[in-house]
Amino acid sequence: MLEKTFDPKTAEPRLYEAWENSGAFAPTDDPKAEPFSIVIPPPNVTGSLHIGHALNNTLQDVLIRFERMRGKAALWLPGTDHAGIATQMVVERQLAAEGNVGRRDMGRDAFVAKVWEWKAKSGGTIVNQLRRLGASCDWSRERFTLDEGLSAAVRKVFVGLYKENLIYRDKRLVNWDPHFQTAISDLEVEQREVDGHFWHFAYPLEDGSGEIVVATTRPETMLGDTGVAVHPSDERYKALVGKKVRLPIVDRLVPIVADEYADPEKGSGAVKVTPAHDFNDFQVGKRHGLEQINILDDFGRINTSAPADYAGLDRFVARKKVVEAFEAADLLRGIEKTRHVVPHGDRSGVVIEPYLTDQWYVNAEVLAQPAIKAVEQGDTVFVPKNWEKTYFEWMRNIQPWCISRQLWWGHRIPAWFGPDGAIFVAETEQEAEAAARAHYGKDEPLSQDEDVLDTWFSSALWPFSTLGWPEKTSDVARFYPTHTLITGFDIIFFWVARMMMQGIHFMGDVPFKRIFINALVRDAEGKKMSKSKGNVLDPLELVDEYGADALRFTMTAMSGQARDIKLSRQRIEGYRNFGTKLWNATRFAQMNGCARAAGFDPAQVKVPLNRWIVGETARTAKAVTDALADCGFDETANGLYRFIWNQFCDWYVEFAKPLLTGDDEAARDETRATTAWVLDVILKLLHPVMPFVTEELWGQTADLGAPREHQGFLMTARWPDLPQSLIDPAVDADIGLMIEAIVEGRSVRQGLNVPPAARPPLLVVDATPAHRKVLEEGAALVERLLRVSEVRFVDAAPAGSIPYVVGGATLALPVAEFIDIAAERARLTKETANLATDIERTAKKLDNADFIARAPEEVVEENRERLAEAQAALAKLQSALARLGVAA
RNA sequence: GGACGUGUAGCUCAGCGGGAGAGCACCUCGUUGACAUCGAGGGGGUCACAGGUUCAAUCCCUGUCACGUCCA
């Protein structure tokens, strides 16, 4: 006998271990099985499971379990990302906390060794947390972006792109993060709106004939100014173009140039130009041949290009000092408060500086073209489709991708410099040396580039590097391209777009055929969850409290497309209860001898109730299968919920009770067998979403009755494929009538406060022969569920009985003694009024010649029926109302 | 400023040309064995607003307002 409730705490770890040990997570070797692969969006190795991971990985697991049960060679390939900055940050922080020497004092090799040490000890956290969620990843294929194999892929790709001139080295402005002292890509910059000031500075003209006023939000950059720009058509300044101003503080003469970048409408119409520290000014400077003076160091301090009393100052200290100097010199012409957008590092949170350095770039524009085309022609589709617009928008305006980072943790760039600065790019040092020898005609000492690659450079290769590329492995042949990528929209640019580019370029085929973009999880108030706001729901805590199945079901049910998910505990609790409901239904079945019958054929059942549930099961199986095949996760969950709770438990089990305990042996046996069969189908259909409770029930009912076709785990059982011919519309209608007779009858009873203990008869006043037959045969059920003494067929309803109309039948409850006549008159009056309105509207519609002429035949017919039914019901209620008058 | 999206019951959301649904919350009632992690019933919505298309609009089109996200 089953326990009273399912205990996830003990069952989940036990079941997961059993699955994993059985090898069920690996794809089948069957060569006939169609491959179906998913690569996990690799979480940062520093990460721990947050609610977004829970959603994303639940959906992947639902899909992979479904396809596995459908007989595919299903591979869900897991792994983690080395996460350059994030990991380096964690380890540095740890070193500091432990009172160790810092990274720089320690030296590169020692530090990297420390990081590996950290990874070995703490890097597996998230992977184990995925297990708690029930993720059926093939752990035997687990990868890490810094693995030897993946590193080989990175080197090969780098060298390949370099040889095609798609990777190049360039000196230009980058987004410089003074906190980490590294360049970062455009995508890693967050534009934040902050309060600031516009300082208006007067620059005296060289000839002493006056001044020109410029405004800036970053006064310290004036130390690097090399020009002033005015608009060419700006009459105010026409005469000044070509003259020079004398920069205060630095005492440098800089030219006034005419450039369309200057906006005559803004401020004074003149702008200062700092080519080395502003992206726009960089362009202006290039156009006019202005000098580029770098005034910062790697830490964001003023360097020695500035006057001595500024050198070494932090940029924000220098800002103040510059303003003070202008004020002291009586050259400060105004201060204006403003809100403006300032770039911040997404990891460090500090203000980013445009900074002139040598970096490596990928010519993304070239790689983007085939990636755009692939989505245009549908080789890869986005689900929901709208996201392709976001993808196109970015891809069509793509900028060069800065891929070098001044970090130590990551893939070292495979480039070596000769003594004269010549560059040798090669997959190995030996090859680089050989190339250098050929170049110089002799051995020369080489030094490898100190920088590492952007983490996303290696994740861009994930769909093929993890399968073993550049080796020609059977996995590459079998599982590339992968089928579906499930990920969040926040990394469409960072990751998805770049996988598309690299996959197509190196594999000649898209990395995945379908991209499902899942929603973003927020708290119940719709706020993005973050530790600082303290509104984080920890998925592991939720798993502890409600079980993994409940969390998974919640995630699945709420995964409606392209929306935010606002998560609340109540919701999870409700779905935990759903699991309990199924558990108890199974327990009920077990208690009533429901067991699989050998050779049971659902198409052969005779009892109408059984025919009905078999049909409903087939209907649900098809709906769930179709939904899952289309990534309709929420539909899947909601459909199963309704079927299991509102149809199977609420009606089938209730209706089956008399049959299970009755004397009709044939009906009893058939009902037992049917129940067992339906439950087995339910377990299969629900398994992808709630793997634990279903697997447990599957195991616990393994010995009930005839052995199953599939003896092993539910997770490896075959997905149900039921013909729709199992649906019998006539039986549907009959059971529907029964349900309606009971539901409406209950409504009448409770609406009139008839005591629950009262057992009046149910009178059937008039009914078609078919309806009469159904109610006759179902009498016992109606008696039990409507709490009536009997179902009696009469010619007319006695005075004071309360009628209600169901389908074509008029039913009545003689409960006059219990009820408030006035209340009942009010009820009937309200109902007749509703019917009258409905009749009026429908009649009006049917009177409309345009409607008759233009509306589809079935709609017209439907309205005719509606009218007829409403009129009949109205007549019945009116006569009841009349009788009520008599009774009163 | 541009792009995308969203405004439906108190809350979270489905629906999307032919008289609006679910879960939770709320109110009332109910323990003789599947389940109180339950059962039964009920209240509650000019489907943001204004125009238009249509025999018919919550659904399609246009505009307005509000909110959100991303990109400048």
Side-chain angles (χ1 to χ4, degrees):
Chain A
M1 177 63 64
L2 289 169
E3 295 296 318
K4 234 185 146 179
T5 54
F6 173 60
D7 179 22
K9 266 201 166 59
T10 58
E12 288 179 357
R14 187 186 79 235
L15 291 168
Y16 194 90
E17 207 188 326
W19 287 329
E20 189 169 1
N21 291 341
S22 78
F25 294 160
T28 171
D29 294 331
D30 182 354
K32 292 193 297 289
E34 185 188 333
F36 182 96
S37 52
I38 296 178
V39 289
I40 202 170
N44 286 357
V45 65
T46 52
S48 64
L49 197 78
H50 61 63
I51 206 79
H53 293 124
L55 169 68
N56 177 247
N57 289 291
T58 294
L59 298 184
Q60 291 177 75
D61 197 44
V62 168
L63 193 58
I64 204 76
R65 283 180 185 270
F66 166 62
E67 297 292 2
R68 187 183 291 123
M69 288 176 80
R70 286 220 285 181
K72 309 256 177 86
L75 169 63
W76 183 13
L77 202 155
T80 46
D81 192 295
H82 67 280
I85 290 186
T87 309
Q88 184 160 322
M89 209 160 80
V90 165
V91 176
E92 281 194 89
R93 208 180 287 145
Q94 195 185 30
L95 287 176
E98 290 168 356
N100 272 303
V101 294
R103 160 169 81 93
R104 282 164 202 283
D105 298 324
M106 182 178 276
R108 183 169 192 144
D109 291 347
F111 178 75
V112 169
K114 275 278 178 207
V115 182
W116 279 108
E117 212 175 282
W118 173 88
K119 194 240 171 198
K121 214 171 72 187
S122 314
T125 308
I126 194 159
V127 162
N128 289 317
Q129 290 170 331
L130 285 171
R131 288 179 160 91
R132 301 259 337 256
L133 199 62
S136 60
C137 304
D138 181 2
W139 299 110
S140 71
R141 284 176 166 84
E142 185 182 348
R143 293 289 185 274
F144 179 56
T145 47
L146 269 179
D147 278 351
E148 183 40 45
L150 273 66
S151 300
V154 165
R155 289 192 297 271
K156 190 172 175 75
V157 164
F158 187 97
V159 173
L161 291 175
Y162 180 79
K163 287 190 172 146
E164 296 175 76
N165 285 323
L166 293 172
I167 280 183
Y168 56 92
R169 198 163 163 79
D170 198 6
K171 189 185 194 81
R172 33 182 290 174
L173 283 182
V174 294
N175 303 295
W176 186 263
D177 187 320
H179 181 262
F180 291 119
Q181 299 103 46
T182 179
I184 58 179
S185 75
D186 296 341
L187 286 175
E188 290 161 281
V189 176
E190 249 175 47
Q191 303 293 343
R192 293 190 201 160
E193 204 179 55
V194 298
D195 287 319
H197 296 88
F198 261 124
W199 283 276
H200 297 260
F201 291 160
Y203 288 177
L205 292 169
E206 180 192 14
D207 57 14
S209 64
E211 63 183 33
I212 192 161
V213 176
V214 296
T216 180
T217 56
R218 295 187 296 154
E220 72 282 7
T221 60
M222 66 79 55
L223 299 172
D225 279 3
T226 56
V228 169
V230 297
H231 198 274
S233 60
D234 193 332
E235 294 299 332
R236 294 171 294 179
Y237 299 112
K238 264 208 166 138
L240 297 182
V241 173
K243 292 191 170 185
K244 290 188 172 174
V245 297
R246 184 171 295 280
L247 268 189
I249 302 175
V250 294
D251 202 31
R252 179 163 58 234
L253 284 175
V254 305
I256 298 168
V257 300
D259 193 286
E260 302 201 334
Y261 168 66
D263 181 355
E265 307 293 317
K266 265 194 192 160
S268 66
V271 292
K272 60 194 274 306
V273 181
T274 323
H277 293 287
D278 184 284
F279 288 99
N280 289 312
D281 294 5
F282 183 79
Q283 299 299 334
V284 176
K286 274 204 158 170
R287 285 197 284 272
H288 300 280
L290 302 179
E291 202 184 341
Q292 300 166 344
I293 302 179
N294 176 22
I295 56 148
L296 294 175
D297 68 9
D298 288 358
F299 294 84
R301 295 175 303 218
I302 305 299
N303 68 17
T304 51
S305 304
D309 51 338
Y310 285 84
L313 292 183
D314 177 80
R315 51 192 164 148
F316 298 112
V317 176
R319 177 171 301 178
K320 263 192 192 148
K321 195 174 164 83
V322 166
V323 173
E324 283 162 11
F326 269 86
E327 195 165 18
D330 197 23
L331 292 170
L332 183 60
R333 293 289 172 267
I335 305 175
E336 204 185 317
K337 285 203 170 174
T338 180
R339 270 189 82 73
H340 62 134
V341 170
V342 177
H344 287 73
D346 65 350
R347 290 276 168 195
S348 65
V350 305
V351 174
I352 295 303
E353 294 292 340
Y355 196 52
L356 201 55
T357 55
D358 285 307
Q359 303 287 346
W360 291 94
Y361 292 88
V362 168
N363 183 340
E365 202 184 335
V366 171
L367 292 174
Q369 301 317 314
I372 292 169
K373 203 169 156 211
V375 174
E376 280 172 344
Q377 60 195 26
D379 298 339
T380 296
V381 296
F382 277 88
V383 180
K385 196 169 188 299
N386 309 10
W387 288 111
E388 73 176 29
K389 287 190 184 161
T390 306
Y391 171 86
F392 285 141
E393 186 68 21
W394 189 70
M395 285 294 237
R396 287 173 181 151
N397 297 296
I398 199 162
Q399 299 299 310
W401 173 17
C402 175
I403 50 169
S404 41
R405 296 290 180 275
Q406 288 66 55
L407 304 172
W408 286 351
W409 177 242
H411 298 96
R412 186 112 175 233
I413 291 176
W416 284 261
F417 299 105
D420 59 352
I423 297 173
F424 305 96
V425 170
E427 287 180 51
T428 64
E429 187 162 13
Q430 290 71 35
E431 286 172 34
E433 281 165 354
R437 199 174 304 123
H439 175 77
Y440 294 113
K442 58 174 179 165
D443 283 332
E444 286 284 355
L446 297 181
S447 60
Q448 186 172 4
D449 193 317
E450 294 291 326
D451 293 350
V452 301
L453 287 164
D454 181 3
T455 299
W456 297 102
F457 190 88
S458 54
S459 11
L461 320 180
W462 190 248
F464 50 94
S465 65
T466 52
L467 293 170
W469 189 90
E471 304 295 319
K472 289 189 166 53
T473 63
S474 57
D475 272 6
V476 172
R478 195 167 182 213
F479 294 113
Y480 192 94
T482 69
H483 189 281
T484 301
L485 177 78
I486 302 186
T487 190
F489 57 78
D490 50 333
I491 52 175
I492 289 180
F493 305 149
F494 274 111
W495 193 47
V496 178
R498 287 160 178 175
M499 283 191 287
M500 288 292 290
M501 294 192 270
Q502 301 288 38
I504 293 170
H505 192 79
F506 284 95
M507 304 299 289
D509 198 353
V510 294
F512 18 73
K513 296 168 193 145
R514 181 169 64 171
I515 303 165
F516 180 80
I517 300 294
N518 62 242
L520 193 65
V521 185
R522 294 165 185 275
D523 72 2
E525 269 77 54
K527 300 262 171 17
K528 199 167 173 171
M529 288 195 185
S530 73
K531 276 184 190 150
S532 56
K533 286 190 199 123
N535 60 352
V536 180
L537 280 179
D538 177 0
L540 296 166
E541 216 173 88
L542 296 171
V543 166
D544 282 338
E545 197 169 341
Y546 304 104
D549 288 333
L551 180 63
R552 291 172 61 111
F553 198 97
T554 309
M555 292 295 161
T556 310
M558 299 184 76
S559 69
Q561 298 188 333
R563 295 197 139 277
D564 299 338
I565 292 181
K566 293 174 191 160
L567 189 64
S568 74
R569 281 171 176 276
Q570 276 182 332
R571 191 83 180 223
I572 305 170
E573 197 179 317
Y575 291 132
R576 188 270 319 268
N577 297 352
F578 171 65
T580 308
K581 186 77 182 173
L582 173 64
W583 182 271
N584 278 297
T586 309
R587 189 159 168 265
F588 166 82
Q590 194 182 22
M591 291 166 88
N592 284 278
C594 298
R596 282 179 305 280
F600 177 81
D601 179 0
Q604 297 303 317
V605 297
K606 301 279 186 299
V607 178
L609 176 66
N610 293 333
R611 294 182 61 75
W612 172 72
I613 199 65
V614 162
E616 288 299 307
T617 306
R619 213 192 295 270
T620 303
K622 178 168 182 353
V624 168
T625 307
D626 291 350
L628 279 178
D630 267 352
C631 288
F633 298 106
D634 52 340
E635 270 177 78
T636 298
N638 294 327
L640 285 166
Y641 186 94
R642 270 195 299 277
F643 172 63
I644 293 170
W645 200 316
N646 303 122
Q647 290 186 283
F648 181 69
C649 291
D650 286 351
W651 293 108
Y652 178 75
V653 168
E654 290 306 324
F655 282 175
K657 280 176 180 172
L659 294 172
L660 289 169
T661 53
D663 301 328
D664 183 340
E665 248 180 76
R668 188 182 65 204
D669 291 348
E670 187 190 284
T671 304
R672 284 175 170 173
T674 305
T675 304
W677 176 84
V678 173
L679 275 171
D680 269 6
V681 176
I682 284 175
L683 293 181
K684 290 178 187 173
L685 294 176
L686 186 57
H687 180 264
V689 187
M690 296 187 126
F692 291 111
V693 69
T694 51
E695 186 72 75
E696 182 67 6
L697 285 170
W698 180 264
Q700 297 241 16
T701 53
D703 298 330
L704 285 182
R708 291 185 174 113
E709 221 170 285
H710 174 76
Q711 298 275 350
F713 286 120
L714 173 59
M715 78 164 281
T716 55
R718 273 320 275 268
W719 188 255
D721 181 17
L722 303 174
Q724 298 305 289
S725 58
L726 291 173
I727 298 169
D728 179 344
V731 164
D732 282 358
D734 291 351
I735 300 293
L737 178 72
M738 290 282 294
I739 291 175
E740 218 187 321
I742 292 165
V743 167
E744 293 300 317
R746 282 169 173 166
S747 176
V748 168
R749 284 187 68 129
Q750 293 203 26
L752 298 170
N753 286 321
V754 175
R759 300 227 170 219
L762 176 68
L763 308 177
V764 181
V765 183
D766 58 61
T768 63
H771 286 171
R772 186 182 169 113
K773 183 163 177 280
V774 170
L775 292 169
E776 220 161 29
E777 284 170 358
L781 293 172
V782 176
E783 285 160 22
R784 234 172 52 80
L785 296 172
L786 186 52
R787 294 171 160 271
V788 291
S789 58
E790 60 172 320
V791 177
R792 192 191 300 159
F793 296 85
V794 298
D795 292 332
S801 66
I802 307 303
Y804 62 99
V805 181
V806 167
T810 303
L811 309 179
L813 288 165
V815 290
E817 59 191 294
F818 302 110
I819 64 157
D820 177 348
I821 298 290
E824 172 57 6
R825 184 180 293 126
R827 182 186 76 92
L828 284 176
T829 307
K830 189 177 164 196
E831 211 154 299
T832 51
N834 286 345
L835 279 171
T837 325
D838 196 32
I839 287 166
E840 195 186 335
R841 289 169 73 176
T842 314
K844 196 172 161 192
K845 194 182 276 189
L846 289 166
D847 276 347
N848 183 343
D850 280 335
F851 174 70
I852 303 293
R854 293 174 192 244
E857 187 53 41
E858 63 267 24
V859 174
V860 176
E861 188 49 37
E862 194 183 299
N863 275 275
R864 288 204 177 102
E865 278 168 26
R866 173 200 293 276
L867 182 64
E869 270 175 38
Q871 281 167 337
L874 181 66
K876 285 168 182 168
L877 292 182
Q878 272 168 344
S879 70
L881 200 52
R883 278 199 308 279
L884 204 60
V886 175

